[in-house]
C-alpha cells in the first residue's frame, strides 16, 4: 500500500493494480477495469470470437503458446504456471524484458522500506567507515611504517659508527685467546718433556709412573705460577704506593713554593 | 479460529498456480520401488560389480593412492601464496591497443571513455566473477599514442598518465565493485533484469590511498591537486602541458562520473526499460537518500 504513494513514474503506466503480496501471483481483480471490458465486449462479442477462431486457424506454427509469445515479443505466460513465476526476480525480469506489456507493477523493481532497511543495515556493517576516515587510517598507517623504517635506519647508523672499534676489539680478543691457547699447549709440552727427562728414557704416557710424575710436575708448575702471580701483584702495589708518595711530595713542594 | 484457517487456506489456494501436468504428482502407489534381490541367485551382484573393494563397497578414503605419496600431501605448504586467490586482478590493455581501437573507429574520442566503451568494442572483456576488477593501461605504445581522450581506467603507471596528458588528454583511476562491474560488462543484459542501477561501493581499505591520491589521478582526489600534479608530471617528463581550458572539447574533457555513478548520464536508483524506452526514477525520499548518498 505504501508503494502507491512512494512512486511516481514517467510512463503512461498509471493505472496499474497494486499488488498486496510481492511474491504472490498477479490475479488481483480490478473491478472497474473488468466492468469496462465486459461492457465493451457485449457489443461485439461475436466479432471478437470470430476473430479469435480465425487467429487460431491461421496459426499453423505448431509452437507452444509460450514459445509463440516469446517469438512475438510478448511475455510467455499470462498467468503463473510455476512457483518460480511468483518470485520477485522473475517478475522484475518480465518487466525488464517486456516493459509495461508484461502487466507487472513497476513498483516491484525497487526495494520496499523493510528491504531498504535490510540493505542499509548490511552496508553499515560492510562499509563501517566513510572515505575520509579510511584515507586518514591509510595515512596513519603509512606514517607509522615510515617511522619504523626511520627508527631502524637510525639504529643501524649508530651501530655502524661503532663498527670499527668492535672489529678491533674482536681481533684483539681472538688474538689473545689464540696466544693463551698456544701458551697452554707449550706449557703442557714442556711438562711432558720434563717428565721424560726425569726418567731419562721414553716412557709410555699411559704408564702409572708417568702419570704420577706428571701430576707432581703439574703441581709444581702451578705453585710456581701462583708465586709469580703473587709477586707481580706485590710489585704492582709497591709501584702504586711509590707513585702516590711521589705525587704527595710534588704537591707539598708546589704548595711550599706558592707559600 | 476455524474461519481464520479457512481464510488462510483459501488465500493460499488463490496464490497457488493452476493444476497442470507440470505440477501434478504421481498418485500414491503408482510407482513401485525395486527391491534388492536376495537369496542364492536372486541377489547376485546388486549393481556393485565383481570382486574387490568395489563389490565389498569398502572404498578407500578420498585422496588415498594405495600407498603412493598422495597428491594432496605431495607438495609442501607455500605460505607466500597465501591469499593469492583473493587478490584483485586488473587485466592489461596497452596504449597501443587503445590507439588501434581509436584508429579503427571502435572508440569515439569525442565522448569520455570508460570500461563500458571498452566492452562495447567487442574485443576487450573481463570477468568480475574471476576477481577481475577492471582494466590496467600498460605503457606499451606510449611513444606512438596520439589520441586526445578522457579515459577512466582502474590502474595505470606514471608513464601511461604522462603519455595521455602529453597529448592534452585526461586520465582518471576509478574503482568499481564486482556488482557494478557486472552491470557494466553487459548493460543490456543488466537492464533486462528490471532492477535499479546500484550505487557504486567505496574502495576497500588497501586501495583507498591509490584512488584518493592526486599523483595516481584517483577519482576521489581533489581536482585542484590533480591539476597541480599534472603540471608536476609534465615537468618531470619534460613536455609542455596543453591547456585544458582553451580546448574546444573542454566540457567533454572535464566530464567525470560521480563516485556513486556507474554509467555516464544514468544515476543510481534509476530503472532503465529498453522495451518501452523509458527511465523510471524513484520518488520516495528514503530511496532517493539511499541512492544519492
Amino acid at each position: 500500500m505504501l508503494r502507491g504513494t512512494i512512486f511516481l513514474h514517467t510512463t503512461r503506466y498509471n493505472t496499474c493494480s497494486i499488488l498486496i503480496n510481492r511474491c504472490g501471483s498477479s490475479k488481483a481483480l480490478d473491478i472497474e477495469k473488468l466492468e469496462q471490458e465486459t461492457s465493451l465486449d457485449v457489443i461485439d462479442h461475436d466479432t471478437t470470437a470470430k476473430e479469435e477462431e480465425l487467429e487460431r486457424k491461421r496459426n499453423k506454427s505448431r509452437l507452444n503458446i509460450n514459445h509463440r509469445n516469446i517469438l512475438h515479443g510478448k511475455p510467455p505466460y499470462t498467468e503463473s504456471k510455476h512457483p518460480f513465476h511468483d518470485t520477485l526476480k522473475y517478475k522484475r525480469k518480465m518487466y525488464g524484458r517486456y516493459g509495461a506489456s508484461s502487466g507487472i507493477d513497476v513498483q516491484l523493481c525497487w526495494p520496499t522500506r523493510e528491504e531498504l532497511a535490510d540493505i542499509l543495515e548490511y552496508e553499515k556493517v560492510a562499509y563501517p567507515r566513510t572515505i575520509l576516515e579510511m584515507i586518514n587510517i591509510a595515512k596513519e598507517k603509512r606514517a607509522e611504517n615510515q617511522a619504523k623504517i626511520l627508527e631502524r635506519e637510525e639504529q643501524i647508523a649508530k651501530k655502524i659508527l661503532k663498527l670499527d672499534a668492535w672489529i678491533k676489539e674482536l681481533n684483539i680478543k681472538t688474538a689473545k685467546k689464540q696466544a693463551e691457547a698456544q701458551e697452554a699447549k707449550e706449557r703442557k709440552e714442556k711438562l711432558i718433556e720434563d717428565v721424560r727427562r726425569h726418567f731419562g728414557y721414553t716412557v709410555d704416557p699411559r704408564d702409572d709412573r708417568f702419570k704420577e710424575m706428571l701430576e707432581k710436575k703439574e703441581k709444581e708448575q702451578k705453585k710456581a705460577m701462583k708465586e709469580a702471580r703473587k709477586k707481580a701483584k706485590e710489585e704492582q702495589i709497591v709501584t702504586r704506593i711509590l707513585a702516590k708518595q711521589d705525587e704527595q711530595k710534588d704537591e707539598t713542594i708546589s704548595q711550599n713554593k706558592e707559600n | 479460529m476455524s474461519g481464520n484457517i479457512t481464510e488462510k487456506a483459501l488465500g493460499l489456494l488463490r496464490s497457488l498456480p493452476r493444476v497442470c501436468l507440470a505440477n501434478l504428482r504421481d498418485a500414491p502407489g503408482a510407482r513401485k520401488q525395486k527391491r534388492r534381490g536376495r537369496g542364492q541367485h536372486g541377489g547376485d551382484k546388486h549393481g556393485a560389480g565383481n570382486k574387490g573393494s568395489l563389490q565389498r563397497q569398502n572404498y578407500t578414503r578420498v585422496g588415498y593412492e594405495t600407498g603412493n605419496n598422495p597428491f594432496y600431501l605431495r607438495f609442501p605448504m607455500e605460505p607466500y601464496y597465501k591469499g593469492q586467490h583473493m587478490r584483485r586482478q586488473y587485466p592489461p590493455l596497452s596504449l597501443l591497443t587503445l590507439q588501434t581501437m581509436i584508429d579503427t573507429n571502435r572508440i569515439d574520442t569525442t565522448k569520455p571513455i570508460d570500461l563500458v566503451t571498452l566492452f562495447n568494442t567487442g574485443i576487450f572483456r573481463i570477468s568480475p566473477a574471476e576477481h577481475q576488477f577492471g582494466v590496467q593501461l600498460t605503457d606499451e605504445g606510449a611513444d606512438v599514442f596520439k589520441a586526445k581522450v578522457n579515459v577512466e581506467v582502474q590502474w595505470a603507471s606514471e608513464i601511461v598518465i604522462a603519455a595521455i596528458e602529453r597529448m592534452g588528454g585526461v586520465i582518471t583511476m576509478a574503482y568499481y565493485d564486482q556488482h557494478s562491474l557486472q552491470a557494466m560488462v553487459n548493460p543490456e543484459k543488466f537492464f533486462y533484469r528490471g532492477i535499479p542501477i546500484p550505487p557504486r561501493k567505496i574502495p576497500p581499505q588497501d586501495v583507498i590511498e591509490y584512488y584518493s591520491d592526486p599523483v595516481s589521478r584517483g577519482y576521489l582526489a581533489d581536482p585542484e591537486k590533480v591539476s597541480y600534479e599534472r603540471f608536476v608530471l609534465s615537468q618531470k617528463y619534460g613536455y609542455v602541458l596543453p591547456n585544458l581550458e582553451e580546448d574546444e572539447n573542454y566540457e567533454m574533457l572535464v566530464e567525470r562520473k560521480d563516485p556513486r555513478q556507474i554509467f555516464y548520464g544514468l544515476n543510481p536508483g534509476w530503472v532503465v526499460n529498453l522495451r518501452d524506452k523509458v527511465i523510471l526514477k524513484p520518488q520516495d525520499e528514503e530511496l532517493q537518500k539511499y541512492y544519492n548518498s
Side-chain angles (χ1 to χ4, degrees):
Chain A
M1 289 301 177
L2 272 173
R3 261 168 208 295
T5 53
I6 291 171
F7 300 105
L8 190 153
H9 39 86
T10 55
T11 41
R12 55 211 143 89
Y13 203 79
N14 286 325
T15 55
C16 55
S17 58
I18 295 160
L19 287 183
I20 296 161
N21 185 357
R22 282 154 67 82
C23 294
S25 61
S26 54
K27 283 169 197 163
L29 294 176
D30 193 337
I31 294 165
E32 280 181 22
K33 205 177 168 186
L34 262 178
E35 275 178 354
Q36 280 175 5
E37 277 173 8
T38 46
S39 62
L40 277 173
D41 276 353
V42 170
I43 307 163
D44 47 2
H45 183 73
D46 291 343
T47 49
T48 47
K50 229 178 202 175
E51 198 65 29
E52 268 175 26
E53 181 69 12
L54 261 176
E55 270 306 306
R56 197 182 59 74
K57 280 178 181 168
R58 279 177 193 149
N59 177 12
K60 294 294 171 198
S61 69
R62 289 186 184 174
L63 285 172
N64 270 348
I65 297 168
N66 43 345
H67 288 162
R68 196 158 184 276
N69 283 343
I70 293 172
L71 191 70
H72 289 95
K74 285 186 240 165
Y77 302 104
T78 47
E79 59 183 16
S80 129
K81 291 273 169 97
H82 192 269
F84 175 59
H85 294 167
D86 296 332
T87 57
L88 197 58
K89 192 178 172 186
Y90 182 79
K91 285 177 181 173
R92 282 174 175 170
K93 218 160 100 179
M94 283 301 109
Y95 176 73
R97 203 164 270 277
Y98 300 106
S101 69
S102 65
I104 302 290
D105 186 354
V106 280
Q107 294 162 8
L108 294 179
C109 294
W110 285 275
T112 56
R113 291 242 162 124
E114 292 93 71
E115 282 162 359
L116 185 65
D118 268 1
I119 293 169
L120 288 175
E121 196 186 341
Y122 173 82
E123 296 215 337
K124 212 168 139 191
V125 176
Y127 307 95
R129 297 193 187 91
T130 62
I131 290 173
L132 266 181
E133 281 170 2
M134 286 168 85
I135 291 172
N136 284 338
I137 288 172
K139 266 183 192 165
E140 274 169 27
K141 212 173 176 186
R142 178 168 287 270
E144 216 172 86
N145 284 341
Q146 205 60 33
K148 256 184 206 168
I149 291 166
L150 273 179
E151 200 188 339
R152 174 95 182 115
E153 276 176 357
E154 263 174 35
Q155 277 179 1
I156 290 169
K158 260 185 205 168
K159 282 176 183 168
I160 276 182
L161 281 180
K162 291 183 195 162
L163 188 63
D164 283 343
W166 284 342
I167 289 171
K168 220 177 255 174
E169 216 170 84
L170 184 73
N171 284 342
I172 290 166
K173 208 172 160 187
T174 46
K176 199 180 164 192
K177 224 173 188 176
Q178 266 179 353
E180 266 174 18
Q182 187 69 23
E183 202 191 330
K185 204 179 165 189
E186 275 170 10
R187 209 164 51 223
K188 188 96 187 170
E189 271 171 8
K190 204 188 155 204
L191 253 178
I192 292 167
E193 196 56 42
D194 279 357
V195 173
R196 282 215 180 114
R197 215 172 278 160
H198 174 82
F199 285 112
Y201 53 90
T202 49
V203 188
D204 191 357
R206 280 166 294 182
D207 197 359
D208 282 344
R209 280 182 301 167
F210 186 87
K211 279 181 187 168
E212 229 171 73
M213 204 61 216
L214 192 69
E215 252 173 49
K216 209 176 163 187
K217 286 273 173 191
E218 234 171 275
K219 263 182 193 167
E220 270 174 27
Q221 207 179 33
K222 267 185 186 169
K223 215 176 177 182
M225 273 167 74
K226 214 174 177 183
E227 264 172 26
R229 244 182 283 157
K230 217 174 177 181
K231 217 177 179 180
K233 226 175 185 178
E234 272 172 10
E235 251 173 46
Q236 236 179 7
I237 292 164
V238 167
T239 47
R240 217 184 286 161
I241 290 164
L242 279 177
K244 252 186 187 174
Q245 279 174 351
D246 281 351
E247 270 179 28
Q248 278 176 352
K249 263 183 192 171
D250 288 345
E251 274 177 23
T252 47
I253 290 162
S254 58
Q255 276 175 0
N256 289 339
K257 273 182 184 175
E258 276 172 18
N259 292 336
Chain B
M1 181 81 183
S2 64
N4 197 10
I5 290 169
T6 352
E7 237 169 59
K8 235 182 191 174
L10 280 173
L12 193 68
L13 214 60
R14 259 181 233 116
S15 72
L16 282 172
R18 194 175 274 196
V19 175
C20 65
L21 274 180
N23 55 22
L24 274 178
R25 183 189 282 189
D26 286 329
R31 283 168 207 259
K32 206 177 168 191
Q33 265 199 334
K34 258 191 197 171
R35 259 180 70 84
R36 184 166 73 89
R38 280 161 210 280
Q40 196 178 4
H41 303 296
D44 212 1
K45 299 281 192 284
H46 316 303
N50 196 12
K51 287 213 282 194
S53 65
L54 292 181
Q55 184 181 23
R56 280 154 216 135
Q57 301 192 357
N58 52 353
Y59 305 108
T60 51
R61 63 169 195 269
V62 173
Y64 183 63
E65 296 181 16
T66 62
N68 290 348
N69 189 8
F71 188 84
Y72 76 96
L73 293 175
R74 201 174 298 163
F75 308 102
M77 198 174 64
E78 296 177 10
Y80 38 85
Y81 281 136
K82 196 180 174 192
Q84 179 80 2
H85 65 297
M86 300 287 284
R87 298 188 65 188
R88 279 183 299 280
Q89 298 172 30
Y90 297 91
L93 177 82
S94 68
L95 279 174
L96 186 66
T97 321
L98 185 65
Q99 182 67 55
T100 317
M101 283 173 171
I102 291 164
D103 292 344
T104 50
N105 272 339
R106 285 187 163 99
I107 288 175
D108 180 10
T109 53
T110 59
K111 285 174 189 164
I113 298 166
D114 65 342
L115 263 181
V116 179
T117 323
L118 294 178
F119 293 145
N120 285 347
T121 60
I123 50 177
F124 178 80
R125 75 170 90 167
I126 64 159
S127 152
E130 287 171 37
H131 268 265
Q132 297 178 345
F133 274 72
V135 58
Q136 59 167 316
L137 266 187
T138 57
D139 57 5
E140 190 189 345
D143 294 332
V144 296
F145 191 77
K146 290 284 175 289
K148 185 164 71 180
V149 286
N150 175 5
V151 65
E152 185 196 73
V153 290
Q154 279 62 54
W155 211 271
S157 66
E158 194 184 67
I159 294 173
V160 172
I161 296 172
I164 285 171
E165 286 178 357
R166 184 173 60 114
M167 302 313 296
V170 179
I171 184 168
T172 318
M173 306 301 147
Y175 173 83
Y176 291 92
D177 59 296
Q178 279 168 311
H179 289 285
S180 312
L181 275 175
Q182 196 59 56
M184 295 172 94
V185 164
N186 192 346
E188 192 187 17
K189 205 171 166 187
F190 175 76
F191 295 144
Y192 278 151
R193 286 173 65 194
I195 55 172
I197 300 168
R200 202 187 335 167
K201 302 285 181 287
I202 56 176
Q205 181 68 57
D206 58 334
V207 281
I208 191 83
E209 215 174 12
Y210 185 78
Y211 287 115
S212 61
D213 194 1
V215 176
S216 57
R217 309 292 186 265
Y219 72 122
L220 299 172
D222 183 6
E224 277 182 18
K225 282 182 187 165
V226 170
S227 68
Y228 174 72
E229 290 299 335
R230 276 165 63 86
F231 175 70
V232 169
L233 196 63
S234 73
Q235 295 280 303
K236 181 174 177 183
Y237 282 87
Y239 56 82
V240 181
L241 190 69
N243 195 352
L244 269 187
E245 276 139 35
E246 286 167 11
D247 200 285
E248 51 186 10
N249 290 331
Y250 174 71
E251 287 197 354
M252 185 278 285
L253 287 173
V254 294
E255 198 177 340
R256 299 277 188 286
K257 281 182 198 170
D258 186 79
R260 285 289 189 193
Q261 204 178 3
I262 296 174
F263 301 107
Y264 277 113
L266 294 175
N267 285 353
W270 292 4
V271 172
V272 177
N273 196 289
L274 297 176
R275 177 65 178 269
D276 296 346
K277 297 201 169 114
V278 291
I279 292 171
L280 309 178
K281 304 172 185 176
Q283 295 292 314
D284 179 38
E285 275 175 18
E286 278 190 26
L287 279 177
Q288 280 180 345
K289 201 178 144 197
Y290 167 61
Y291 285 119
N292 296 334
S293 66

